[in-house]
Amino acid sequence: MRQTRRSFISCASLAAAGNLLGLRPFGALNALAQTSSNYKALVCVFLFGGNDANNTLIPFDTTGYGQYNSIRGDLALAQNTLLPLTPAPNFALNPNLPDIQALFNSKNAAFVANVGTLVQPLTRAQYQAGQTAPVNLFSHPDQQLEWQNAAQSAATPTGWAGRMADVLGASFNQGASIPMITSVAGDTLFCNGNTTTPVSVSPGNVGGANCSEGSECSARQLTAQALLTLDTGISLVQADDGITSNAYAYAKTLSDAVQSITPLQTVFPANNGLASQLKQIAQIIQVRAALGVQRQIFFAGIGNFDTHADQLTLQNALLAQISPALAAFYNATVELNVASEVTTFTMSDFSRTFQPNSNNGSDHAWGAHHIVLGGAVNGGQVYGTYPTLVLNGPDDSDSNGRWVPTTASSQYAATLAQWFGVSAANLPTVLPSIGNFATNNLGFV
Amino acid sequence: MQQSRLFSLSCVLALSLTLSGMLAGCGSGSGGSGSGSGSTLPSVTVSGSNQVRLGSTVTFTATAVNLSNPSVTWQVNGVAGGNSTVGTINSSGVYTPPAAIPTNNNVTVTAVSQASPSISGSATLSILNPVPAITAAAASPVSGATYALEVDGSSFVSGAQIQAGGAYLTTTFVASNELQALVTIPAGATTLSVTVTNPSPGGTGSNPMSATVYVASVATAGRLLDQATFGPTLATIQQVQTIGADAWITQQFNTADTPLANIPSPLPALCLSANTPTNCEESEWWQTVLTGPDQLRQRVAFALSEIFVISSDTDNATTITYYHNTLAQDAFTNFYTIMHDVSVSPGMGAYLNMLNSAKAPAGQIANENYARELMQLFTIGLNELNADGSLQLDGSGNPIPTYTQAQVQAFATAYTGWTYATASGGVPTKFPNGTANYLAPMVAVESEHDTTAKTLLNGTVLPAGQTAEQDLTGALTNIFNHPNVGPFVCKQLIQHLVTSTPSPAYVARISAVFANNGNGVRGDMQAVIRAILEDAEARAGDTNPNYDGGHLREPMLWMTEFLRAVGFTNTDANGSYFSLSNYSNNLSERPYRSGSVFNFFPPSYVIPQSTLNAPEFDLENSANAILRLSLADSLVNNKITSFTIDLSATSQLGQIAAVSPGEMVDTLGKIFMHGQMPSDMRNEIMGAISGLGTAQQVRVATFLVITSSQYKVMH
């Protein structure tokens, strides 16, 4: 729900009252952030390896399930194990996503069906005739990068999140002490802009470096930082100097910010890599006022989705990790009163062949179904067009069930970007091929 | 009269024998005898040596005559007890020279009678420079016939000169135990006789020493070892300096593999508590790379393992030790052999699903995983390349794909029918073989092999009806002969060993060696490795400290380099090295534990907002930079579980620092930065450690070196 100008003004006067009550300016800023809330965050959860969407969102109507069951063979999930989606009765979920089912049914989550990398809309015939398509469609690194850069090839060196930070930074994060984008899953193209770079955080490790030298610690650090300023003329040394200098600064900012906060009460699942990452994101959101940010983009990700063999065992275990992790994160945003200000969405290299392979697995495919969740999401719906589950059918790029996407990842991104605050005028800067598509807003948020 | 003289004489004798002088008879007699004769006046006479060298002492004696108390107070140049400028003297008359010769090197030693302070005796003492001694000397090439000579020993003083081959050299005084000079050595000379002469006063020469004439400089040796091992040590630097880079490479080619031990079942004590073979496998890896003499072999195997990736996140670790041994044993053979042995290894089979990939019945397709990744990641890449690694472009300026989806499927069918061997290494009757054999190559069950014809690359067709082994050999040969293999693989080997950004010309030179080793053989690994390491571009930094290349030390390598450089002791009850994995894991690396087949970092990684292709920088971000600083603190403070790392005052570095902190920093510069630490960096470190205790000097200096960008980027 958008803040109206009137409520913004009343919040400002509340802040002024705070000053009269003797709150420090810092405290006033906190009050401002919590009540006026022109804050938004996007959280990308990347499923590395290519999550099999065919076994994530499954048709539940008789015809649809029949098509699914007849082709999927050993990979088919029994219908009576699927989790029904009451607002969308023609669909059901993999049995290991009960939390997503609950969020969908309470209209705080939605699916976007058959979304994939595209430069322009393509039918099966157009694809097979060789019309312009993304480069290296079935290559992991290329498709990971193309989902992240929303470009035709992996060569484009910026991600669409980075480009958003480029255009929005001045408007929303003036005076922020930290970049708009935080990655808790290492270095990714998604987070790199033309002028902005992200901060990387190792989950659970927001402090500065350890030092055992007692009273000599500050002198040691000052010297280490002085060494970073020496000009060696060696390119990689200079590059490392820059990264390390930023590291000192961001570590100090973050550790100062989290120093005296009350830990969240929401319990995140243990032994769950994605949960650790999302918990760290929640903590950073908790201190957003101290960081001076009104817009944040977070990148999280887990791997091992490349289920060429033994898919049922492997994918089910992975989905069983994602479901409670996402739910806990949503609950944390509720606890922080930002449930409607944080939108989480998944991405993945590609989906997988609808036709199974000879190892109880599936191979690289294309169009996938992705999850969007958050209080602002118009949930309980399946957006886009679910593919016809027929090999060599109208949606098949070949004969193995590699669906030609009917929604472009750029459209998916554009919808999120506009919610986040990117204007129509700036949309082509963030998503250069968006103009090739009929709509730039799918309406799910 | 006569009697009294005798009497006095006996008193003198008695008193000169003992300073305490308790002779009753004399006392009463002296007063009387003193009257009326030419009697002896009271005096004090000082005797002792008239010269002393710095570092020695001299004992003076004071003889008091005709004094009630023989005690004296000693002075040097009129100062009671002396001082630090002119030397000190204690109550026993032992004179100790100052640390340095005073402006006037002649001092006066005086003994003043305590009974009669106006009575005193003096002696002159000349302070001389000590006698220098040489313990070792070595000359390292700088350029042409010019060598850098280092003379080690003791008692060198500022102004000392080295004499070599009859000529005095302009000498740099480093410390009392080290001198340096440049010297010209004629070609072919293998030894050089040197002496050191200290300056006046007392300038004198040392013992002669035959200096070792090294074939390679510290920079060459240090950089080569950085490129070709898991970290230089003072011993290996000396070894390479002695025999030269080319001979060292040959010696390493002839050094047998240090195999990782097979992990038995039930698990041994080392990994029992964790109940996973992974801990054993990783312990074996760390121990081998840290201590194995076959350093080049292990370093190449490591590079190969970052190209032909498998991981214990899905593989059983028992098969990983076998896989690693395969890479290490094949490292110096032929690239085709590596391709084949990797393809039939159970580790790769399990990781990329060639294991148990059966010919597909109707309604299924053959598993494409290995077919795709063998080409995309291990051999030819996605796009056609020129020999220099650059992309070939079509008429519209676009890259040209090397293979189609149809070809992937053709290869996928060619690789069908393989499963685990039986316990004796034979072919099982059942497919798949449900009992894993992690320690033998996979075997083919022909009934599960797809025998249709397959159209591969460049129009090659595998005819119908071939066996699994025939199809495998045909497929691998087809790929091996693709012209991309040289540039695609060799550029990555260069990136792992030498520099992230080789010039196209460098890549082309190595590709040419890959294509033909000079004897018509394609894929000769020894020829390729030697060419990579001996190439002018690899060796450019030996003489040019401003060489703008190199690569960031990835976390596991950074750790092994530190441990080898300063030494360590394993203290684990079971001899486990596994704890090191916990530390490297924090920095996003663990042996054979990549999160995907794309290794810890892809070869194509470009530093954001730059055009610098620098693969290891994919792991270098604000989070990991801080974590590396924390790990460095633990390393230098001996806080590594299962290990003792000694940087105390009694360690080798500590002992050097006690004599000269500058020498300690230079030693760090030699081991870690191949003698090329920039002077501004050295000055900063010297400033930081001044005034600290010895052990803290060593820790802080070492910390500053290993966390500096100048060190982290191997160049």
Side-chain angles (χ1 to χ4, degrees):
Chain A
M1 187 156 66
R2 294 193 116 158
Q3 288 295 324
T4 63
R5 188 160 184 274
R6 176 170 303 159
S7 57
F8 182 84
I9 291 170
S10 72
C11 291
S13 59
L14 186 65
N19 266 326
L20 290 175
L21 289 172
L23 287 176
R24 302 175 336 222
F26 185 93
L29 194 60
N30 244 325
L32 190 71
Q34 281 165 13
T35 52
S36 84
S37 209
N38 186 17
Y39 173 81
K40 282 184 180 166
L42 284 172
V43 179
C44 173
V45 174
F46 204 103
L47 312 177
F48 288 100
N51 175 48
D52 182 49
N54 300 305
N55 269 13
T56 304
L57 178 70
I58 300 107
F60 206 53
D61 61 291
T62 311
T63 311
Y65 185 80
Q67 289 173 327
Y68 167 86
N69 193 39
S70 66
I71 300 169
R72 271 243 119 169
D74 292 332
L75 295 186
L77 299 163
Q79 191 170 23
N80 62 3
T81 64
L82 301 178
L83 304 177
L85 298 174
T86 31
N90 287 339
F91 295 101
L93 293 187
N94 182 295
N96 295 281
L97 296 172
D99 311 90
I100 309 302
Q101 176 198 30
L103 286 165
F104 187 97
N105 289 346
S106 65
K107 310 239 169 118
N108 290 306
F111 272 86
V112 182
N114 201 18
V115 52
T117 54
L118 284 173
V119 183
Q120 60 175 350
L122 282 180
T123 63
R124 163 183 159 100
Q126 289 168 331
Y127 169 71
Q128 292 183 345
Q131 293 197 15
T132 306
V135 171
N136 293 325
L137 276 174
F138 307 111
S139 155
H140 285 293
D142 293 80
Q143 291 309 300
Q144 287 170 11
L145 294 174
E146 289 170 29
W147 263 91
Q148 294 175 22
N149 67 11
Q152 187 189 10
S153 86
T156 299
T158 56
W160 56 269
R163 297 193 294 269
M164 282 203 287
D166 287 344
V167 307
L168 295 178
S171 318
F172 289 104
N173 285 7
Q174 273 288 3
S177 54
I178 205 166
M180 185 182 294
I181 305 179
T182 301
S183 171
V184 293
D187 203 310
T188 57
L189 187 64
F190 186 64
C191 306
N192 298 331
N194 285 305
T195 55
T196 62
T197 51
V199 55
S200 278
V201 174
S202 167
N205 287 313
V206 286
N210 297 335
C211 178
S212 311
E213 299 294 342
S215 56
E216 192 55 27
C217 281
S218 78
R220 187 182 81 174
Q221 179 169 326
L222 285 173
T223 307
Q225 288 178 288
L227 290 177
L228 298 174
T229 65
L230 301 179
D231 183 7
T232 61
I234 296 169
S235 311
L236 295 187
V237 173
Q238 309 288 86
D240 201 50
D241 287 340
I243 293 171
T244 312
S245 295
N246 284 341
Y248 280 111
Y250 298 152
K252 175 152 190 10
T253 299
L254 283 169
S255 64
D256 286 350
V258 305
Q259 213 166 32
S260 45
I261 57 169
T262 314
L264 289 172
Q265 304 215 312
T266 302
V267 176
F268 281 78
N271 298 320
N272 184 320
L274 181 61
S276 304
Q277 295 180 33
L278 294 173
K279 180 175 177 181
Q280 181 61 74
I281 292 174
Q283 186 191 46
I284 295 174
I285 293 176
Q286 188 180 4
V287 299
R288 62 201 180 281
L291 301 176
V293 291
Q294 292 194 303
R295 289 293 184 272
Q296 286 188 289
I297 306 172
F298 296 94
F299 183 88
I302 55 170
N304 292 325
F305 284 89
D306 192 29
T307 50
H308 284 276
D310 209 20
Q311 174 169 307
L312 286 177
T313 310
L314 296 174
Q315 187 198 26
N316 288 346
L318 289 165
L319 296 180
Q321 296 247 303
I322 292 173
S323 186
L326 288 173
F329 181 66
Y330 176 76
N331 293 336
T333 62
V334 171
E335 184 183 344
L336 289 170
N337 287 319
V338 292
S340 297
E341 279 122 30
V342 179
T343 300
T344 304
F345 60 97
T346 60
M347 305 204 303
S348 189
D349 322 14
F350 31 61
S351 183
R352 307 193 73 83
T353 51
F354 192 62
Q355 181 179 33
N357 69 20
S358 50
N359 276 122
N360 294 315
S362 54
D363 296 291
H364 304 176
W366 197 357
H369 318 312
H370 282 294
I371 305 167
V372 288
L373 82 95
V377 169
N378 301 317
Q381 298 183 58
V382 176
Y383 294 83
T385 310
Y386 198 85
T388 304
L389 300 181
V390 171
L391 302 182
N392 264 317
D395 289 309
D396 198 349
S397 65
D398 57 16
S399 60
N400 307 124
R402 307 180 214 246
W403 314 126
V404 180
T406 42
T407 297
S409 63
S410 285
Q411 294 173 289
Y412 181 69
T415 309
L416 294 162
Q418 290 179 82
W419 170 79
F420 193 65
V422 176
S423 65
N426 275 329
L427 210 52
T429 306
V430 176
L431 298 160
S433 66
I434 193 62
N436 297 339
F437 299 96
T439 174
N440 62 29
N441 198 324
L442 303 173
F444 56 75
V445 71
Chain B
M1 304 308 147
Q2 202 170 355
Q3 189 182 12
S4 68
R5 267 205 301 273
L6 276 169
F7 204 62
S8 299
L9 189 58
S10 74
C11 289
V12 167
L13 284 170
L15 279 165
S16 68
L17 284 170
T18 162
L19 291 173
S20 58
M22 272 282 298
L23 292 164
C26 290
S28 55
S30 58
S33 61
S35 61
S37 65
S39 60
T40 311
L41 292 169
S43 67
V44 171
T45 309
V46 169
S47 60
S49 175
N50 65 352
Q51 60 184 41
V52 65
R53 292 192 179 273
L54 291 181
S56 301
T57 61
V58 61
T59 303
F60 288 93
T61 57
T63 307
V65 172
N66 243 342
L67 288 164
S68 59
N69 172 6
S71 299
V72 295
T73 304
W74 290 96
Q75 296 174 344
V76 182
N77 282 8
V79 176
N83 62 25
S84 58
T85 306
V86 299
T88 57
I89 186 162
N90 68 12
S91 58
S92 307
V94 178
Y95 169 83
T96 305
I101 296 188
T103 314
N104 180 350
N105 78 309
N106 294 310
V107 298
T108 305
V109 173
T110 306
V112 177
S113 166
Q114 291 180 4
S116 296
S118 61
I119 310 291
S120 65
S122 293
T124 306
L125 177 65
S126 294
I127 308 171
L128 305 179
N129 276 317
V131 180
I134 302 180
T135 53
S140 298
V142 174
S143 82
T146 305
Y147 285 69
L149 177 62
E150 177 176 315
V151 176
D152 301 321
S154 59
S155 302
F156 302 148
V157 304
S158 180
Q161 279 200 298
I162 303 170
Q163 193 177 8
Y168 280 103
L169 306 175
T170 307
T171 303
T172 303
F173 173 81
V174 176
S176 63
N177 59 1
E178 184 182 330
L179 300 173
Q180 294 175 354
L182 291 177
V183 63
T184 302
I185 301 180
T190 53
T191 58
L192 178 73
S193 182
V194 299
T195 56
V196 169
T197 304
N198 271 339
S200 306
T204 188
S206 70
N207 55 310
M209 177 63 68
S210 184
T212 307
V213 177
Y214 285 135
V215 169
S217 65
V218 168
T220 298
R223 294 185 72 254
L224 177 68
L225 293 167
D226 249 350
Q227 295 162 346
T229 71
F230 279 86
T233 66
L234 287 174
T236 51
I237 289 172
Q238 182 175 34
Q239 188 192 12
V240 176
Q241 284 198 273
T242 304
I243 65 176
D246 186 65
W248 182 83
I249 292 170
T250 302
Q251 181 231 69
Q252 285 288 302
F253 283 155
N254 295 329
T255 305
D257 172 50
T258 305
L260 274 53
N262 292 336
I263 302 165
S265 183
L267 296 175
L270 200 147
C271 43
L272 196 55
S273 60
N275 201 28
T276 168
T278 308
N279 289 27
C280 278
E281 165 247 315
E282 294 184 21
S283 175
E284 283 284 314
W285 184 87
W286 286 108
Q287 184 169 9
T288 299
V289 303
L290 280 167
T291 64
D294 53 331
Q295 283 287 299
L296 177 59
R297 183 189 293 276
Q298 292 298 330
R299 181 72 187 267
V300 172
F302 181 49
L304 291 172
S305 78
E306 296 200 292
I307 300 172
F308 292 92
V309 176
I310 68 170
S311 173
S312 63
D313 73 347
T314 51
D315 269 356
N316 186 298
T318 308
T319 204
I320 291 181
T321 52
Y322 175 78
Y323 183 81
H324 177 87
N325 292 340
T326 301
L327 293 180
Q329 285 154 17
D330 286 355
F332 297 154
T333 62
N334 190 287
F335 190 76
Y336 177 84
T337 307
I338 297 171
M339 285 174 64
H340 179 272
D341 289 351
V342 164
S343 297
V344 297
S345 71
M348 180 57 78
Y351 193 63
L352 291 186
N353 313 128
M354 187 169 137
L355 175 78
N356 299 335
S357 174
K359 76 178 168 193
Q364 292 181 4
I365 48 175
N367 193 312
E368 295 176 358
N369 203 2
Y370 191 60
R372 183 186 305 281
E373 308 303 355
L374 171 63
M375 290 192 292
Q376 180 171 342
L377 298 176
F378 303 163
T379 53
I380 59 176
L382 285 167
N383 298 304
E384 299 284 347
L385 301 173
N386 296 307
D388 66 1
S390 59
L391 287 171
Q392 292 185 23
L393 300 175
D394 65 17
S396 315
N398 295 320
I400 305 164
T402 42
Y403 55 84
T404 62
Q405 177 57 26
Q407 285 164 325
V408 170
Q409 290 191 314
F411 279 104
T413 54
Y415 300 146
T416 51
W418 295 83
T419 187
Y420 286 119
T422 60
S424 57
V427 181
T429 47
K430 234 179 72 143
F431 184 101
N433 180 355
T435 307
N437 182 341
Y438 295 124
L439 304 178
M442 296 190 292
V443 295
V445 175
E446 296 301 338
S447 59
E448 299 298 327
H449 175 64
D450 184 313
T451 53
T452 57
K454 297 102 184 161
T455 303
L456 306 181
L457 306 173
N458 292 323
T460 297
V461 176
L462 298 181
Q466 296 206 137
T467 64
E469 178 68 48
Q470 285 170 332
D471 271 354
L472 177 66
T473 307
L476 295 179
T477 302
N478 177 243
I479 297 170
F480 175 70
N481 286 323
H482 190 292
N484 262 28
V485 181
F488 184 78
V489 172
C490 293
K491 181 172 178 184
Q492 290 185 64
L493 288 175
I494 293 170
Q495 288 184 310
H496 280 294
L497 299 180
V498 176
T499 178
S500 297
T501 51
S503 67
Y506 184 12
V507 176
R509 292 190 288 271
I510 309 306
S511 297
V513 173
F514 184 94
N516 185 338
N517 68 347
N519 289 325
V521 176
R522 178 175 175 76
D524 178 348
M525 289 298 292
Q526 287 194 17
V528 166
I529 294 163
R530 189 188 293 274
I532 288 174
L533 294 172
E534 293 184 359
D535 191 272
E537 198 158 311
R539 305 270 51 85
D542 296 353
T543 47
N544 175 16
N546 299 321
Y547 159 68
D548 189 8
H551 65 114
L552 181 70
R553 298 170 200 273
E554 63 190 284
M556 290 191 289
L557 208 48
W558 179 83
M559 286 175 62
T560 63
E561 287 157 352
F562 170 82
L563 291 167
R564 283 173 56 84
V566 304
F568 60 90
T569 312
N570 181 279
T571 57
D572 184 78
N574 296 311
S576 174
Y577 280 61
F578 175 73
S579 66
L580 297 175
S581 287
N582 290 324
Y583 298 102
S584 71
N585 189 49
N586 260 344
L587 301 183
S588 309
E589 282 201 328
R590 245 176 88 180
Y592 284 102
R593 193 77 179 199
S594 168
S596 78
V597 71
F598 304 97
N599 193 35
F600 307 103
F601 45 85
S604 56
Y605 181 80
V606 173
I607 297 176
Q609 292 167 12
S610 84
T611 53
L612 292 170
N613 171 211
E616 292 91 342
F617 270 83
D618 193 21
L619 298 182
E620 188 77 344
N621 53 50
S622 47
N624 282 352
I626 296 293
L627 290 169
R628 204 190 294 230
L629 293 171
S630 291
L631 178 54
D633 183 75
S634 295
L635 288 168
V636 303
N637 279 279
N638 195 23
K639 289 182 174 178
I640 302 297
T641 307
S642 304
F643 288 89
T644 297
I645 299 164
D646 182 14
L647 293 179
S648 68
T650 51
S651 66
Q652 184 182 24
L653 285 168
Q655 291 180 48
I656 295 173
V659 173
S660 164
E663 247 192 277
M664 180 267 295
V665 173
D666 290 337
T667 306
L668 292 175
K670 180 175 179 182
I671 314 177
F672 287 109
M673 301 180 72
H674 28 85
Q676 291 173 325
M677 183 188 294
S679 56
D680 54 4
M681 177 175 171
R682 187 185 188 278
N683 290 340
E684 283 286 351
I685 295 175
M686 289 301 296
I689 65 175
S690 109
L692 301 180
T694 301
Q696 194 168 42
Q697 285 188 324
V698 175
R699 291 197 307 271
V700 171
T702 304
F703 176 91
L704 291 171
V705 170
I706 67 174
T707 57
S708 68
S709 305
Q710 292 88 329
Y711 172 69
K712 284 163 65 186
V713 174
M714 180 191 304
H715 60 278

